[in-house]
Amino acid sequence: MTSVTDTAPARPAFRLTRALQGLERLIVPALLIAGWEVFARSGVLPPALLPAPSAVLHALGDWVLGFDETTQTYSGHWLRDALASALRVFGGFALASLLGILAGVAIGWSRLFEKTLEPTLQMLRPIPPVSWIPLAIIWFGIADKPAIFLVFLGAFFPVLMNTIHGVKTVDHNLVRAGAMMGASQRQMLTDIVLPAALPSIFAGLRIAVGSAWMLTVTAEMVAVKSGLGYVLWDSYYFLRYDIVLAAMISIGLLGYLSDLGLKAIMARTLRWQQTTTVQGRAG
């Protein structure tokens, strides 16, 4: 048995390894930013058309902290804009996750739902969510509702398709074993099929949260007057490309943090996978 004394000397080495792994993740972003800074300062394009990273960072800093009001009406209002977008993203994403998982499990498990529900959903799936913008504005007006509706459309189908795939690819031997043990249909669904489908469901959720951030920006450009997407589009009209790029960076960071949150939930929920998959072996 390993004692506390035995493991103590290994901790500094472990922390050093984790720190080096963290630095590895920064190599590519650092190279991209350095190349961007050099190119922007080379004079090939006017600084107004391609702001250097230092200028974008300055605009982002003023947008967040409001230290010199170079971003004018947006100075110091980043948190307000980010919260407005986040509420739309997670409102539409939560609704899409709930309905996508329920519909996906029903279609994957029941022949009746597969025959009656899936053809209609598959016909709706290829329609781009942005093509719903006119109808969304007519139905819901200019407010949060059309934006949440568009986010829902963008996030629903990835969750649906991955859930259907996860349920349909559950090992048949597990279901047969459950039936031999006398499990009811509900018990097989909740205790065998749904847990076995969770890896596919989480894959769909991760795709969906990225789609949700993309769609909320599109929605805010046309359907509402607040949020990161609205700031991005409004700044474009005033040729403030430093703010445009700051908004793009903000959306990318928030989308990345959303994915990290989902990965953390997935790691805790699917602990059993860490010893049986290549991903678990690498971690």
Side-chain angles (χ1 to χ4, degrees):
M1 189 174 87
T2 305
S3 67
V4 175
T5 307
D6 295 334
T7 58
R11 287 180 180 173
F14 176 73
R15 289 173 181 169
L16 179 62
T17 303
R18 293 295 298 269
L20 291 175
Q21 288 176 347
L23 288 175
E24 288 175 354
R25 298 174 189 272
L26 300 177
I27 292 175
V28 172
L31 289 175
L32 287 175
I33 292 172
W36 174 11
E37 183 78 31
V38 171
F39 184 76
R41 292 181 179 278
S42 67
V44 176
L45 290 174
L49 296 182
L50 182 62
S54 53
V56 175
L57 187 61
H58 184 273
L60 181 59
D62 182 63
W63 188 10
V64 175
L65 302 173
F67 48 73
D68 63 0
E69 299 188 351
T70 52
T71 54
Q72 300 175 341
T73 56
Y74 301 121
S75 181
H77 291 158
W78 183 89
L79 185 59
R80 178 199 63 185
D81 296 323
L83 282 175
S85 293
L87 288 174
R88 292 171 191 130
V89 166
F90 291 111
F93 174 73
L95 189 60
S97 300
L98 176 64
L99 296 181
I101 291 172
L102 289 175
V105 171
I107 292 170
W109 182 249
S110 167
R111 295 277 186 188
L112 176 64
F113 280 106
E114 184 181 13
K115 291 179 180 176
T116 57
L117 192 58
E118 189 175 26
T120 303
L121 292 174
Q122 294 295 358
M123 282 191 290
L124 293 173
R125 187 167 67 91
I127 301 174
V130 292
S131 66
W132 290 86
I133 289 176
L135 291 177
I137 293 175
I138 292 171
W139 292 340
F140 302 111
I142 304 295
D144 288 338
K145 290 180 182 177
I148 292 173
F149 175 69
L150 293 173
V151 170
F152 165 77
L153 289 176
F156 174 74
F157 289 105
V159 178
L160 175 75
M161 297 306 297
N162 278 274
T163 304
I164 293 174
H165 172 78
V167 173
K168 284 191 172 183
T169 55
V170 170
D171 190 344
H172 187 60
N173 289 326
L174 293 175
V175 179
R176 290 182 61 187
M180 291 176 63
M181 296 293 290
S184 64
Q185 288 286 309
R186 184 188 63 79
Q187 288 173 324
M188 283 195 288
L189 187 61
T190 57
D191 298 341
I192 298 175
V193 175
L194 195 56
L198 279 178
S200 291
I201 293 174
F202 271 108
L205 292 174
R206 290 186 63 190
I207 297 171
V209 77
S211 299
W213 277 105
M214 287 190 281
L215 263 296
T216 195
V217 171
T218 304
E220 286 171 352
M221 287 179 178
V222 294
V224 294
K225 300 294 182 184
S226 62
L228 298 173
Y230 173 74
V231 173
L232 188 155
W233 197 239
D234 193 49
S235 301
Y236 161 73
Y237 279 117
F238 292 99
L239 305 179
R240 288 297 304 269
Y241 298 125
D242 53 346
I243 305 177
V244 170
L245 289 166
M248 293 170 64
I249 291 170
S250 301
I251 293 162
L253 283 174
L254 291 174
Y256 179 62
L257 292 176
S258 303
D259 185 62
L260 282 182
L262 270 177
K263 283 179 68 176
I265 296 171
M266 183 174 69
R268 292 183 65 85
T269 307
L270 305 178
R271 283 181 179 172
W272 52 271
Q273 251 198 337
Q274 295 178 5
T275 58
T276 59
T277 63
V278 174
Q279 183 182 13
R281 184 182 64 188

